[in-house]
Amino acid sequence: MLMKEYRICMPLTVDEYRIGQLYMISKHSCEQSGGGEGVEVVRNEPDNHPKYGAGQLTEKRIYLSSKLPSWVKAFVPRFFYVTEKAWNFYPYTITEYSVSFLPKFSIRIETRFENNNGDNDNVSSILSRKSVFGDKPTPAENVCFLDILSDPIPEKHYKESEDLSLWQSSKTGRGPLEKGWRDSHKPVMCSYKRVECSFEVYGFQTRTEEFIHRNIRDILLVGHRQAVAWIDEWHGLCLEEVREYERTMQEKTNSKVKCSQNSTDSGLVPRPAFSRSISVTDERSLKKMGVTTAAVPDPSHVTHSPIRLNSTPE
């Protein structure tokens, strides 16, 4: 298992980001969906956790097979999805990812939002009192500061309108950001994220876990940049209004994913049946590596277990 703690600061308050995060996730998911891939929202409903109290539970399917590197495609189905379950007990959240046919794969992200510039080295030990981040603070060598202003993101995700060295908010007057901004800007908040990823397959573990963390880093940078850059679109909305926006965008996103999949399935290139997760050759290879595989069920007949996954994007 590879664990890292990411700290991402933003020129916002924790109360503001509660709205900005919901808006950003909904809009970003819709933008990234299409061509048979993207994010399908399965459920989004209030949930009462026996430990953390009232919150919101969201379950999504993320279709992304074409975005995988070639060495991963060699042993996964051509058409599959990752399940994301997120529990939002703001300002604390839990997000977990799993793949049905790879029981030895898991990602777990625990997040704490605070009004500071990322200088709270005790955030993990504070949360450990609630059995959140483990028993001890994250080792210093595993703490990574991500700068939404200067850290590079993949070129395909770059947009001038989201470049925070050029951005300025007409509603709040904030921006553009300058070098060293997190030590002088008011307001400032930090998203503390402890990310644990595990892929316990001999010969693939290290490379896969490092690949996952590289992608998580990119996703965190892009998402937090967008939450700031889009502030004039969401600033001033109340929670009920952003929830309504979230419902509207979820319907649009689900429609884009399903329409694209139906169009692809009716084309000349046949899709593999859902009743098999992988080819016979791939299944044998995985068994040699000690991976127990499971068939991927037809999504229309999936039953959702109330049992929590033992895994991490949110």
Side-chain angles (χ1 to χ4, degrees):
M1 180 186 72
L2 182 58
M3 184 275 289
K4 293 186 180 182
E5 181 182 310
Y6 297 97
R7 299 183 186 182
I8 313 103
C9 291
M10 292 172 287
L12 307 171
T13 67
V14 169
D15 287 341
E16 287 174 333
Y17 188 59
R18 184 177 191 181
I19 304 298
Q21 181 191 42
L22 294 173
Y23 183 93
M24 175 269 293
I25 291 173
S26 299
K27 181 176 176 178
H28 179 84
S29 296
C30 191
E31 286 187 347
Q32 296 299 309
S33 298
E37 297 194 338
V39 181
E40 177 186 4
V41 181
V42 178
R43 56 176 169 163
N44 185 359
E45 59 196 24
D47 181 60
N48 195 60
H49 192 277
K51 185 167 192 173
Y52 302 111
Q56 192 82 5
L57 169 62
T58 308
E59 181 175 349
K60 301 175 182 177
R61 293 183 187 137
I62 305 171
Y63 299 87
L64 41 56
S65 55
S66 74
K67 296 178 173 62
L68 297 174
S70 58
W71 58 270
V72 175
K73 292 180 184 178
F75 61 92
V76 301
R78 181 182 171 194
F79 188 67
F80 80 104
Y81 60 83
V82 174
T83 298
E84 175 195 285
K85 288 188 177 180
W87 290 263
N88 190 339
F89 309 104
Y90 203 85
Y92 168 65
T93 64
I94 306 168
T95 308
E96 299 178 343
Y97 298 88
S98 64
V99 181
S100 59
F101 66 91
L102 287 178
K104 295 191 176 183
F105 166 87
S106 66
I107 303 175
R108 178 183 175 87
I109 303 175
E110 296 183 39
T111 305
R112 175 76 180 180
F113 304 105
E114 293 192 349
N115 285 313
N116 56 52
N117 67 351
D119 61 355
N120 186 358
D121 293 328
N122 294 319
V123 69
S124 50
S125 57
I126 290 170
L127 292 174
S128 71
R129 297 172 197 159
K130 300 193 301 182
S131 297
V132 179
F133 280 5
D135 297 329
K136 298 179 181 179
T138 307
E141 62 270 20
N142 288 0
V143 175
C144 306
F145 278 89
L146 302 183
D147 192 334
I148 58 174
L149 172 64
S150 59
D151 281 0
I153 61 172
E155 187 176 348
K156 63 182 178 181
H157 292 306
Y158 176 82
K159 295 180 182 178
E160 187 174 303
S161 61
E162 297 168 8
D163 187 331
L164 300 183
S165 67
L166 306 173
W167 156 84
Q168 187 164 25
S169 166
S170 60
K171 282 189 176 181
T172 66
R174 299 172 203 172
L177 299 184
E178 299 178 351
K179 184 178 179 180
W181 69 271
R182 72 182 181 91
D183 294 322
S184 58
H185 196 283
K186 300 295 180 185
V188 64
M189 65 161 288
C190 184
S191 173
Y192 294 84
K193 291 182 176 288
R194 191 175 202 183
V195 180
E196 298 176 353
C197 68
S198 177
F199 187 71
E200 298 175 0
V201 177
Y202 179 75
F204 288 92
Q205 181 169 2
T206 299
R207 183 159 60 165
T208 301
E209 290 177 354
E210 289 176 349
F211 167 78
I212 291 169
H213 270 284
R214 284 196 303 272
N215 279 268
I216 288 173
R217 174 196 173 280
D218 291 342
I219 291 169
L220 292 178
L221 278 170
V222 172
H224 287 74
R225 282 165 58 108
Q226 289 177 333
V228 175
W230 296 342
I231 189 172
D232 287 343
E233 299 177 29
W234 58 260
H235 197 272
L237 296 178
C238 65
L239 187 59
E240 291 74 19
E241 290 172 325
V242 80
R243 286 292 184 194
E244 181 58 34
Y245 174 82
E246 188 180 43
R247 284 189 288 271
T248 301
M249 295 302 283
Q250 285 173 4
E251 291 175 3
K252 185 177 179 180
T253 301
N254 286 1
S255 178
K256 287 173 69 174
V257 172
K258 290 177 180 178
C259 287
S260 297
Q261 287 176 355
N262 292 338
S263 175
T264 303
D265 290 342
S266 63
L268 297 176
V269 180
R271 286 283 190 182
F274 272 99
S275 59
R276 282 195 58 78
S277 62
I278 48 180
S279 69
V280 173
T281 302
D282 290 338
E283 190 167 317
R284 287 173 180 166
S285 299
L286 283 172
K287 285 181 177 178
K288 287 180 181 178
M289 295 187 286
V291 178
T292 302
T293 62
V296 179
D298 185 325
S300 63
H301 295 94
V302 170
T303 57
H304 300 289
S305 168
I307 299 175
R308 291 273 311 275
L309 299 171
N310 184 22
S311 58
T312 100
E314 88 111 297

